[in-house]
Amino acid sequence: MSLEKTYIMVKPDGVERGLVGEIIKRFENKGYQLVAIQQFETNKDILNQHYEDLKEKPFFPKLLNYMLSGPVVGMVWQGKDVVKTGRKLLGETDPLKSAPGTIRGDFCIDVGHNICHGSDSVKSAEREICLWFPNGIVTWERKCMHDLIYE
Ligand code: DAT
Ligand code: MG
């Protein structure tokens, strides 16, 4: 069985604030599996590709500056419906519209400092995983744990 994958990234403010562990914990507690993780120095080239859909938005220069302000931690998470459910764990784009209990609902306030990224579709996830992990990732599936999580 090949399980769905998503790209989750802790943004520079989330890394600086020491929230990497908390974000990992939310996904692990849910039952998802971490299959890749790396801290990256960002650059304009990779961010232009990552946010290619947003290049024309008025907030794009600000977004770029924010994303260039420090290292990010990129992760690939695997599991049933992880793209859509991962976005639910993150909360709304605007943290003030995010329900308490979500990551953005619990840990941030402004849209320009919303601490985390999650792929918005399976297709985007595939693109983003190839972009940030161009050498590929080791795909493995848990043995005992799998049967405790899935029916
Ligand atoms: P999401 O990160 O929820 O997928 P998005 O892809 O539309 O949201 O936007 C990417 C990031 O750009 C988002 O996490 C924060 C920033 N952003 C989006 N809308 C914004 C706005 N109106 N003003 C400032 N920053 C914004
Ligand atoms: Mg997005």
Side-chain angles (χ1 to χ4, degrees), residues 22-63:
E22 180 64 42
I23 292 170
I24 289 176
K25 194 172 100 186
R26 302 283 178 119
F27 280 79
E28 276 189 340
N29 283 354
K30 177 72 180 164
Y32 288 131
Q33 180 189 355
L34 182 63
V35 291
I37 181 165
Q38 192 174 330
Q39 181 160 297
F40 302 106
E41 294 294 342
T42 52
N43 59 65
K44 279 188 184 160
D45 181 46
I46 198 164
L47 291 171
N48 275 318
Q49 291 181 65
H50 178 80
Y51 283 128
E52 66 179 8
D53 298 348
L54 300 176
K55 272 186 191 154
E56 306 305 321
K57 299 279 185 193
F59 59 80
F60 188 72
K62 217 173 82 179
L63 174 62

Side-chain angles (χ1 to χ4, degrees), residues 30-31 142-151:
K30 177 72 180 164
R142 295 176 295 193
K143 294 177 184 73
C144 309
M145 190 70 167
H146 185 278
D147 294 345
L148 294 173
I149 305 271
Y150 298 104
E151 56 185 30

Side-chain angles (χ1 to χ4, degrees), residues 14-130:
V15 175
E16 176 84 25
R17 290 175 58 194
L19 293 171
V20 176
E22 180 64 42
I23 292 170
I24 289 176
K25 194 172 100 186
R26 302 283 178 119
F27 280 79
E28 276 189 340
N29 283 354
K30 177 72 180 164
Y32 288 131
Q33 180 189 355
L34 182 63
V35 291
I37 181 165
Q38 192 174 330
Q39 181 160 297
F40 302 106
E41 294 294 342
T42 52
N43 59 65
K44 279 188 184 160
D45 181 46
I46 198 164
L47 291 171
N48 275 318
Q49 291 181 65
H50 178 80
Y51 283 128
E52 66 179 8
D53 298 348
L54 300 176
K55 272 186 191 154
E56 306 305 321
K57 299 279 185 193
F59 59 80
F60 188 72
K62 217 173 82 179
L63 174 62
L64 211 59
N65 275 341
Y66 161 51
M67 293 301 294
L68 286 166
S69 66
V72 297
V73 172
M75 299 180 268
V76 180
W77 285 89
Q78 175 172 283
K80 191 192 274 182
D81 211 20
V82 70
V83 172
K84 199 166 78 200
T85 310
R87 299 246 322 165
K88 283 191 196 153
L89 293 177
L90 297 190
E92 300 295 318
T93 305
D94 181 348
L96 289 184
K97 296 195 176 115
S98 299
T102 64
I103 292 165
R104 287 167 175 164
D106 287 349
F107 296 108
C108 48
I109 295 172
D110 277 344
V111 69
H113 288 97
N114 64 1
I115 73 169
C116 50
H117 163 85
S119 309
D120 61 11
S121 67
V122 172
K123 206 167 154 235
S124 305
E126 284 166 3
R127 188 181 73 80
E128 291 167 8
I129 292 167
C130 286

